[in-house]
């Protein structure tokens, strides 16, 4: 993972940390301050392969996940959208892949079958969301596959990896590199 000195996520967050307000003159308020704190915690956590930065003044963040070593997603980078509702942290955010992700628990629109709603608590944060999604890349939930074709192909690891690699390099060019 790139050092935070050259990390655009760190640069974007540094502006927000210095007290900058979102465009349009609105103030961050308690929810915005909570999200700023969550992003700072993420940046200083030392967790490998995850990052996030604020996208706009409507409490959206762009996250990035790198596939962990030893899984078929190793060295692949994915950009995600994280949308926080007005009731955050008591209401769960929505997460969606922006970079196309071929996975049994991700549909073709980037929606993720990750049970945030039933397992959500105010103690969860941006870091735990990204770690959960990163973990999902390594193993899928067979009981709730959104992409049946990917679920079937998952049974043949060699064929799955070949198809994943082919589609990743074709489709990820349309979205751009995560974190840029």
């Amino acid at each position: 993972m790139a050092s935070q000195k050259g990390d655009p996520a760190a640069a974007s967050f540094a502006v927000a940390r210095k007290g900058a307000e979102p465009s349009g003159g609105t103030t961050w308020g308690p929810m915005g301050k909570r999200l700023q704190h969550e992003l700072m915690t993420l940046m200083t956590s030392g967790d490998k392969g995850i990052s996030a930065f604020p996208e706009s003044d409507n409490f959206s963040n762009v996250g990035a996940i790198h596939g962990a070593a030893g899984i078929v997603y190793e060295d692949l980078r994915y950009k995600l959208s994280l949308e926080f509702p007005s009731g955050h942290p008591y209401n769960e955010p929505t997460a969606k892949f922006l970079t196309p992700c071929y996975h049994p628990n991700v549909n073709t629109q980037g929606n993720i079958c990750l049970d945030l709603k039933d397992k959500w608590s105010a103690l969860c944060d941006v870091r735990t969301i990204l770690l959960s999604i990163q973990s999902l890349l390594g193993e899928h939930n067979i009981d709730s596959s959104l992409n049946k074709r990917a679920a079937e192909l998952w049974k043949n690891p060699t064929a799955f990896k070949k198809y994943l690699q082919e589609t990743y390099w074709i489709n990820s060019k349309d979205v751009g590199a995560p974190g840029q």
Side-chain angles (χ1 to χ4, degrees), residues 37-99:
H37 178 73
E38 288 182 21
L39 292 173
M40 179 56 105
T41 300
L42 173 63
M43 286 175 44
T44 59
S45 71
D47 292 313
K48 295 198 182 301
I50 60 172
S51 63
F53 57 95
E55 182 178 53
S56 65
D57 62 353
N58 64 352
F59 305 112
S60 317
N61 289 298
V62 172
I65 294 178
H66 301 195
I71 65 170
V72 295
Y73 295 89
E74 183 174 2
D75 295 329
L76 302 184
R77 295 172 43 140
Y78 293 93
K79 194 184 278 190
L80 295 105
S81 165
L82 303 170
E83 300 287 333
F84 295 88
S86 61
H88 181 73
Y90 303 105
N91 297 329
E92 75 282 353
T94 57
K96 183 176 181 175
F97 277 95
L98 298 175
T99 307

Side-chain angles (χ1 to χ4, degrees), residues 17-175:
R17 253 187 49 224
K18 290 180 182 175
E21 292 183 354
S23 63
T26 58
T27 59
W28 283 101
M31 185 175 131
K33 288 179 183 176
R34 161 85 187 229
L35 288 172
Q36 285 180 346
H37 178 73
E38 288 182 21
L39 292 173
M40 179 56 105
T41 300
L42 173 63
M43 286 175 44
T44 59
S45 71
D47 292 313
K48 295 198 182 301
I50 60 172
S51 63
F53 57 95
E55 182 178 53
S56 65
D57 62 353
N58 64 352
F59 305 112
S60 317
N61 289 298
V62 172
I65 294 178
H66 301 195
I71 65 170
V72 295
Y73 295 89
E74 183 174 2
D75 295 329
L76 302 184
R77 295 172 43 140
Y78 293 93
K79 194 184 278 190
L80 295 105
S81 165
L82 303 170
E83 300 287 333
F84 295 88
S86 61
H88 181 73
Y90 303 105
N91 297 329
E92 75 282 353
T94 57
K96 183 176 181 175
F97 277 95
L98 298 175
T99 307
C101 180
Y102 188 72
H103 187 277
N105 298 112
V106 179
N107 70 15
T108 56
Q109 291 78 39
N111 298 309
I112 307 165
C113 186
L114 183 64
D115 196 8
L116 287 178
K117 189 170 191 128
D118 292 338
K119 296 179 182 176
W120 184 257
S121 85
L123 299 175
C124 296
D125 60 9
V126 172
R127 180 180 167 269
T128 57
I129 296 165
L130 292 174
L131 286 171
S132 295
I133 296 170
Q134 186 184 45
S135 176
L136 183 69
L137 289 180
E139 38 184 281
H140 78 286
N141 181 349
I142 192 103
D143 296 327
S144 60
S145 296
L146 288 178
N147 185 333
K148 301 299 182 197
R149 183 168 183 252
E152 281 299 313
L153 197 54
W154 186 275
K155 296 172 187 174
N156 180 340
T158 304
F160 185 90
K161 184 173 184 172
K162 182 178 187 269
Y163 186 81
L164 171 69
Q165 294 286 328
E166 290 170 359
T167 58
Y168 175 82
W169 294 112
I170 292 168
N171 294 326
S172 64
K173 293 176 187 175
D174 296 334
V175 176

